[in-house]
């Protein structure tokens, strides 16, 4: 039996190596807060280009998976760009006095929105102080009395004329409560009804006729009385209006002068003049005081003025703050485009310009808006409306298509706001290509792709950025990390990337691990000592990071432990020592939720005379998926190319992963399957203490697979639980050596010689290790040596072919 150590890997090749001097040097340096990116040079260049490109249509799509730190990195990078940008204008809606259903919009300089509101509030207070006091002016009172006097004179002259005619005919005219009446006069004495009834009939008839004629004269004389009253009221209104306008003129001029540079404000102040006159005339004039005393007690005039005049600042900007950066976590239609609120007034639904609320587009206008693309496309109408806003360069507030109208409600149509914004969509790779394929406008609006890689090549710059980001996080949380702790964090990142020279882009997981290590560091400190020194900086060492990792495995390891227990109890048949024919331990990776672990699975094969070829039992029962089935189908190609150049390959074989009851995918079992098949063909037993993983092509070359670390550690745990014998190990593709980031326990076992990891390039290497026999090299005559595995395989396959073709035993 061959003890070939050619394929055996040394312990120091099972994990990345660290340059401690560099790590210590970076740890000793000052914190560099300007470090925003760890690697990601391609994405960084794309962001710089997209953020600085001022032409329309150069919005960005940030492509990358969640938890890769893309949001944090983008936000940090945008902050450095945004702070040097000009602070955008503020926008506020004001009452459109000509059409209150179409509120007008005003552009203001940063910080002026609050000032304008304060100015209008002061204006309202000044108006309330000015009116109705302005009507107490002696000049106004004199003119008001003259108007009344002029009317009264006309009225009195008419009455005097009728009275003279009445007296001439012995009739008295008198007024009572605004009513003119006539009474007969006899002996210079007015008669009452009783006295009048005692007169002779002829006298009464004469008085009836006289009084009737006088009433006709009165009617004709007072025929123009309504006209006189209208003229009086018009004169009063004109006087009141002139008084109001004269009093308002200096007040409004003062506001116009303060905002002379803001054309929108000047127009708003001028437009409010007529409405102000109407409100003052209705609620604060002399007529209002005399005619509506009771009603005025119930009316809050200040509130009426505020509802008509106060501006609604929907965006607020602080001067010199740079461009705004807004992240919209829930991109519903209202959250993105704003909304118009409603309130109920006496059973009717009411709204006004002051109930317009800003959306993310308003808040980010003049700056940057970050949105998760996956969430955006799930919101009805938002994507189409966003494209329209970007194409039209304006924000138009309207109800989304299909939204039910509110019954008995007054609606608003606010004036659109000019839009100048940079949209940054963050989404997956699949979504980006899907949107490119199905939306023709997508490429026109999002012309810049920032592709965040899953992995970051380790170089001096990446190492420096990685450690600096760790130091910043630790500093913010009053922690200090030792060099050994940093090495452990680097090991964790390498493990996530499954590469000895690349870090994982999921930096958020590294920060999460530091946070969990903090828990164990605090726990290790004596409670009384900690309480007496609460403000002291916490030191995070390697053991604390290791404890956090182990705790995470324990929390999510219930399923993997159940598998291991089932194997230990014999519920799942896995041998870790001895030799058997047609049986071998393959390695699989299970992903259940956020739990990923490796576990061995027995591969078995049987061979017999027939012509069905290699039958994949998993595929036949529809448990094997496409890639797995492809790997099995390659076995026939390999056997035919390897052994059947001189005869027709004809045999029957069944291959299965024993005790698998779920779907199987991937071709990483094909190397183990071909070795098991060769064992069944040659009847040469395989070492059950060695598990195997790898895929092959039709020429027998071994190809890389995924999850190599989990697979190795899954089998190692089983061997460790049963007791390491020194003959146990794992066969992996040689191309996967760069992916090895194994735990310290596996490294220690390999270093002690109690466990082995073999790296192979082809099937012959693997079969040599598993059988302890030479695989055999084809001679120049096209034959394999008889006592080799390949020689026995060729003989056996030819023998089966002869049986099938009736060329043997007949």
């Amino acid at each position: 039996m061959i003890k070939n150590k050619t394929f055996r890997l040394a312990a120091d090749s099972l994990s990345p190596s660290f340059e401690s001097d560099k790590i210590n040097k970076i740890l000793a340096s000052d914190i560099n807060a300007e470090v925003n990116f760890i690697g990601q040079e391609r994405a960084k260049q794309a962001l710089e280009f997209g953020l600085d490109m001022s032409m329309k249509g150069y919005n960005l799509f940030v492509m990358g998976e969640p938890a890769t730190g893309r949001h944090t990195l983008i936000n940090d990078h945008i902050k450095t760009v945004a702070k040097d940008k000009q602070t955008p204008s503020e926008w506020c809606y004001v009452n459109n006095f000509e059409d209150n259903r179409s509120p007008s919009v005003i552009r203001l300089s940063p910080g002026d929105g609050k000032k304008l509101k304060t100015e209008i509030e002061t204006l309202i207070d000044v108006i309330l102080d000015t009116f109705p006091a302005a009507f107490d002016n002696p000049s106004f009172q004199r003119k008001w009395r003259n108007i009344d006097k002029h009317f009264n004179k006309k009225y009195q002259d008419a009455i005097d004329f009728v009275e003279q005619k009445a007296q001439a005919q012995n009739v008295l005219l008198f007024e009572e409560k605004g009513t003119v009446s006539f009474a007969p006069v006899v002996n210079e004495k007015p008669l009452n009804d009783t006295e009048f009834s005692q007169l002779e009939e002829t006298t009464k008839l004469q008085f009836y006729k006289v009084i009737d004629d006088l009433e006709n004269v009165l009617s004709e004389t007072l025929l123009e009385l309504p006209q006189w009253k209208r003229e009086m009221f018009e004169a009063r209104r004109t006087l009141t209006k002139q008084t109001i306008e004269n009093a308002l003129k200096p007040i409004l001029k003062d506001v116009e002068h303060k905002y002379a540079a803001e054309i929108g404000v000047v127009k708003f102040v001028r437009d409010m003049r007529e409405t102000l006159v109407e409100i003052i005339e209705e609620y604060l004039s002399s007529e209002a005081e005399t005619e509506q005393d009771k009603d005025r007690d119930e009316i809050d005039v200040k509130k009426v003025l505020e509802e008509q005049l106060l501006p609604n600042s929907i965006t607020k900007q602080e001067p010199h703050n740079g461009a705004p950066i807004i992240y919209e976590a829930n991109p519903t239609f209202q959250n993105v485009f704003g909304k118009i609120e409603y309130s109920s007034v006496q059973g009717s639904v009411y709204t006004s310009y002051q109930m317009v609320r800003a959306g993310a587009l308003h808040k980010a206008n003049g700056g940057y808006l970050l949105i998760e693309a996956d969430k955006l496309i799930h919101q009805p109408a938002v994507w189409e409306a966003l494209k329209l806003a970007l194409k039209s360069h304006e924000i138009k507030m309207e109800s989304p298509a299909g939204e039910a109208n509110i019954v008995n409600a007054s609606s608003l149509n606010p004036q659109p706001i000019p839009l100048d914004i940079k949209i940054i969509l963050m989404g997956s790779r699949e979504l980006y290509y899907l949107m490119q394929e199905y939306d023709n406008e997508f490429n026109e609006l999002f012309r810049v792709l920032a592709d965040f890689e899953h992995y970051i090549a380790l170089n001096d710059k990446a190492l420096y950025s990685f450690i600096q980001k760790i130091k910043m996080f630790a500093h913010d949380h009053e922690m200090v990390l030792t060099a050994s702790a940093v090495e452990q964090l680097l090991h964790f990142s390498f493990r996530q990337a499954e590469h000895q020279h690349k870090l994982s882009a999921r930096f958020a997981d590294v920060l999460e691990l530091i946070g969990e290590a903090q828990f164990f560091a605090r726990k290790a400190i004596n409670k009384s000592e900690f309480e007496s020194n609460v403000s002291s900086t916490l030191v995070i060492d390697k053991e604390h990071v290791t404890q956090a990792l182990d705790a995470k495995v324990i929390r999510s390891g219930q399923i993997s432990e159940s598998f291991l227990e089932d194997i230990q109890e014999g519920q799942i048949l896995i041998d870790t020592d001895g030799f058997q024919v047609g049986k071998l331990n393959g390695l699989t990776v299970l992903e259940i939720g956020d739990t990923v672990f490796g576990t061995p699975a027995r591969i078995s094969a049987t061979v017999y005379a027939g012509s069905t070829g290699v039958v994949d039992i998993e595929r036949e029962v529809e448990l094997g998926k496409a890639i797995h089935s492809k790997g099995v189908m390659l076995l026939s190609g390999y056997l035919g190319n390897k052994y059947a150049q001189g005869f027709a390959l004809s045999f029957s074989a069944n291959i299965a992963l024993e005790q698998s009851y779920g779907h199987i995918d991937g071709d990483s079992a094909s190397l183990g399957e071909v070795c098991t098949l060769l064992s069944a063909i040659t009847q040469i037993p395989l070492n059950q203490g060695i598990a195997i993983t790898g895929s092959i092509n039709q020429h027998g070359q071994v190809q890389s697979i995924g999850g190599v670390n989990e697979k190795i550690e899954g089998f190692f745990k089983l061997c460790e639980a049963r007791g390491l014998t020194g003959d146990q190990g794992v066969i992996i593709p040689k191309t996967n050596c760069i992916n090895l980031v194994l735990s310290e326990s596996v490294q220690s076992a390999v270093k002690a010689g109690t466990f082995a990891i073999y790296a192979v390039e082809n099937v012959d290497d693997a079969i040599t290790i598993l059988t302890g026999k030479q695989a055999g090299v084809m001679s120049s005559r096209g034959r394999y040596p008889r006592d080799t595995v390949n020689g026995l395989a060729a003989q056996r396959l030819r023998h089966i072919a002869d049986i099938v073709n009736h060329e043997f035993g007949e």
Side-chain angles (χ1 to χ4, degrees), residues 11-27 458-460 462-464 466-467 470 482-496 499-504 510 542 545-546 549 740-744 747:
D12 57 6
S13 65
L14 305 181
S15 183
S17 57
F18 303 104
E19 298 183 50
S20 299
D21 292 342
K22 285 185 178 180
I23 294 174
N24 287 323
K25 185 177 180 181
I26 298 171
L27 280 175
L458 183 66
N459 50 40
D460 290 345
L463 180 64
Y464 176 82
F466 183 93
I467 297 177
I470 287 174
T482 65
S484 61
V486 172
E487 289 183 6
Q488 190 67 12
L489 292 171
L490 284 166
H491 185 278
F492 171 75
S493 188
F494 282 124
R495 176 61 179 262
Q496 281 192 311
H499 202 286
Q500 293 186 357
H501 306 303
K502 291 181 181 179
L503 297 170
S504 169
V510 175
K542 177 182 178 179
V545 180
T546 304
L549 287 170
L740 294 177
V741 189
L742 292 167
S743 64
E744 289 187 357
Q747 295 180 57

Side-chain angles (χ1 to χ4, degrees), residues 377-394:
I377 62 172
H378 285 94
Q379 296 293 338
V382 177
W383 173 242
E384 293 299 327
L386 181 62
K387 289 193 299 180
L388 181 60
L390 291 175
K391 288 187 291 184
S392 63
H393 310 302
E394 65 179 21

Side-chain angles (χ1 to χ4, degrees), residues 568-588:
Q568 289 285 72
E569 294 172 358
Q571 303 294 329
I572 299 176
L573 301 178
I574 299 291
D575 293 327
T576 53
D577 57 13
F579 286 78
Q580 294 191 35
V581 174
K583 295 179 183 178
L584 185 60
N585 293 326
L587 296 174
T588 62

